[in-house]
Amino acid sequence: AERRGLQGMNQPRVDTNVGLKREGRASPTYVDDLAVDEGTLKSGAPHVESVSTKQRDFMRMEIEQARKQVRVDAREAMAKYGGEVEVRRRGHPLFGHRVTVSRVHLVYDEALVPGDEAFRRAMLRAAEGAGIKLHFHHAR
């Protein structure tokens, strides 16, 4: 699942609960997963993507409610984990560096999302419109 989601990364390194500090904010926010293509670390422009995982129950929602919730979650993920950030995890190869997150992923537990294809397509379009890559994944 990690390989499918992180397309374009040849040597993905995925770390969980990594602090990301945005300019103008006093404290970091912690992203669920931060992916870095280790093959790009020395390039001066490392390929970095972030993943926000949500346990949200969409089973009783109407399509429009689900679209609205996806847009809210997408805006929050972009604001916290997208754009230019400073990596604040000691020992991480990018610790103390300002990097640009090229893509933000939002992951929902597919067991909590109706199986109806139209419903899922509406969610995917809402995420795409907000600049987020949406995934459905079985929670462990």
Side-chain angles (χ1 to χ4, degrees), residues 67-113:
R67 272 195 283 247
K68 183 177 181 180
Q69 186 62 60
V70 168
R71 287 190 295 264
V72 166
D73 291 342
R75 278 192 301 272
E76 177 189 32
M78 285 295 282
K80 289 181 175 180
Y81 316 125
E84 190 173 302
V85 297
E86 181 183 342
V87 178
R88 299 303 306 153
R89 157 111 24 112
R90 290 191 191 284
H92 192 280
L94 294 173
F95 174 69
H97 292 264
R98 293 202 72 71
V99 297
T100 299
V101 176
S102 61
R103 176 175 281 168
V104 178
H105 301 264
L106 183 58
V107 180
Y108 291 122
D109 182 346
E110 74 177 335
L112 300 174
V113 178

Side-chain angles (χ1 to χ4, degrees), residues 9-129:
M9 285 198 178
N10 295 319
Q11 299 172 334
R13 171 193 169 126
V14 180
D15 295 283
T16 60
N17 200 33
V18 176
L20 302 177
K21 189 170 181 301
R22 300 186 72 82
E23 191 163 330
R25 292 213 177 140
S27 59
T29 56
Y30 292 85
V31 66
D32 292 311
D33 295 297
L34 184 70
V36 177
D37 187 343
E38 289 187 317
T40 64
L41 285 174
K42 294 180 181 164
S43 71
H47 182 169
V48 180
E49 299 186 17
S50 63
V51 180
S52 177
T53 304
K54 298 285 187 188
Q55 287 291 110
R56 195 166 307 289
D57 190 350
F58 290 93
M59 297 302 272
R60 291 187 181 94
M61 289 187 193
E62 298 293 326
I63 286 178
E64 190 50 43
Q65 289 174 295
R67 272 195 283 247
K68 183 177 181 180
Q69 186 62 60
V70 168
R71 287 190 295 264
V72 166
D73 291 342
R75 278 192 301 272
E76 177 189 32
M78 285 295 282
K80 289 181 175 180
Y81 316 125
E84 190 173 302
V85 297
E86 181 183 342
V87 178
R88 299 303 306 153
R89 157 111 24 112
R90 290 191 191 284
H92 192 280
L94 294 173
F95 174 69
H97 292 264
R98 293 202 72 71
V99 297
T100 299
V101 176
S102 61
R103 176 175 281 168
V104 178
H105 301 264
L106 183 58
V107 180
Y108 291 122
D109 182 346
E110 74 177 335
L112 300 174
V113 178
D116 177 54
E117 283 304 311
F119 195 97
R120 288 182 179 213
R121 275 195 310 276
M123 291 176 71
L124 288 164
R125 281 193 302 273
E128 187 178 290

